[in-house]
């Protein structure tokens, strides 16, 4: 009888790696190919259901353009492995559709696989310090929105705002359900409803939208 852990029974996530140089690309490929749940693809094979892993020292317009292309035009999910990210670039990256970010100096084999699988599920995965920056922007953007004529006072339900605030704090579905005394299905339905209604790509994009508009 075949074991449930055999390679044939593993659901595989297609991953395409984009890197600025051959050494970085081969390093990422060698880390990922040891995991049976990862199916490596060529750069030309990205599309819906694929995770694009983009490696970069910094974030310029070429990197943002590539992120927008693979997510918006090709329908892939994206993980960004980056050396540095300025405060002003964080929401830009999230609004491109990136759900997971990994610092290059923290890009161990297990960390990369964790980020890829989280992105494939549509979950967010941000380093703790970036999550802190995102939370710090809540107050600033909220104050700016509160002082702006015509700032939205509604558009998200109280339940949606509660869920998004906890998503911004880094809680997963189970933790959010426990904190709000909801079922996990309810939390998932809330997230699905608002992302579908507002044409948002993932949890991180939903948080970025809420911050930009002053909902949280």
């Amino acid at each position: 009888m075949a074991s449930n852990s055999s390679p044939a029974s593993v659901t595989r996530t297609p991953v395409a790696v984009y890197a600025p140089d051959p050494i970085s690309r081969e390093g990422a490929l060698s880390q990922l190919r040891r995991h049976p749940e990862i199916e490596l693809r060529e750069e030309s094979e990205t599309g819906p259901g694929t995770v694009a892993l983009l490696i970069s020292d910094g974030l310029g317009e070429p990197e943002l353009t590539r992120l927008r292309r693979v997510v918006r035009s090709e329908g892939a999910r994206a993980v960004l492995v980056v050396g540095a990210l300025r405060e002003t670039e964080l929401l830009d990256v999230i609004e491109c559709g990136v759900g997971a970010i990994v610092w290059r100096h923290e890009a161990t084999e297990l960390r990369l696989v964790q980020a890829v699988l989280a992105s494939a599920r549509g979950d967010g995965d941000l380093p703790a310090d970036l999550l802190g920056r995102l939370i710090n922007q809540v107050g600033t953007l909220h104050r700016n929105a509160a002082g702006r004529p015509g700032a939205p006072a509604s558009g998200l339900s109280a339940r949606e705002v509660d869920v998004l605030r906890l998503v911004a704090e880094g809680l997963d579905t189970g933790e959010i359900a426990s904190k709000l005394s909801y079922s996990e299905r309810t939390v998932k339905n809330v997230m699905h409803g608002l992302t579908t209604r507002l044409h948002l790509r993932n949890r991180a994009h939903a948080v970025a939208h809420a911050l930009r508009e002053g909902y949280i």
Side-chain angles (χ1 to χ4, degrees), residues 32 43 50 88 136 199:
L32 294 174
E43 293 182 20
T50 305
T88 55
N136 286 339
H199 307 291

Side-chain angles (χ1 to χ4, degrees), residues 100-210:
I101 301 172
V102 179
W103 293 126
R104 286 194 70 161
H105 69 273
E106 295 178 349
T108 63
E109 179 178 330
L110 292 180
R111 184 71 186 88
L112 284 182
V113 172
Q114 174 189 343
V116 164
L117 297 181
S119 182
R121 294 191 302 268
D123 292 342
D125 188 349
L126 302 181
D129 55 334
L130 275 188
L131 186 59
R133 289 194 215 174
L134 192 60
I135 293 170
N136 286 339
Q137 289 186 35
V138 173
T140 301
L141 290 171
H142 180 73
R143 286 192 297 272
N144 290 344
R148 190 172 64 237
S154 61
L156 292 178
S157 69
R159 172 181 285 188
E160 289 171 335
V161 171
D162 287 342
V163 170
L164 279 177
R165 185 175 291 113
L166 296 177
V167 170
E169 292 176 5
L171 276 65
D172 64 22
T173 300
E175 291 168 331
I176 293 170
S178 176
K179 210 165 186 64
L180 296 178
S181 299
Y182 295 158
S183 69
E184 290 193 27
R185 180 180 293 275
T186 295
V187 174
K188 290 177 181 177
N189 287 342
V190 169
M191 288 302 304
H192 177 73
L194 74 91
T195 53
T196 301
R197 187 176 78 251
L198 299 176
H199 307 291
L200 304 169
R201 285 174 289 280
N202 51 42
R203 288 184 172 204
H205 191 198
V207 171
H209 172 80

Side-chain angles (χ1 to χ4, degrees), residues 57-103:
D57 288 322
L59 195 73
E61 193 54 42
E63 289 77 24
L64 284 173
T65 299
R66 175 170 281 181
L67 285 170
R68 294 187 187 104
R69 176 173 58 79
V70 299
V71 175
R72 297 180 185 178
S73 300
E74 300 173 10
R77 299 188 184 274
V79 174
L80 177 64
V81 181
V82 67
L85 197 63
R86 293 193 296 269
E87 189 95 7
T88 55
E89 296 168 338
L90 178 54
L91 289 181
D92 289 334
V93 169
I94 291 174
E95 289 185 337
C96 281
V98 175
I101 301 172
V102 179
W103 293 126

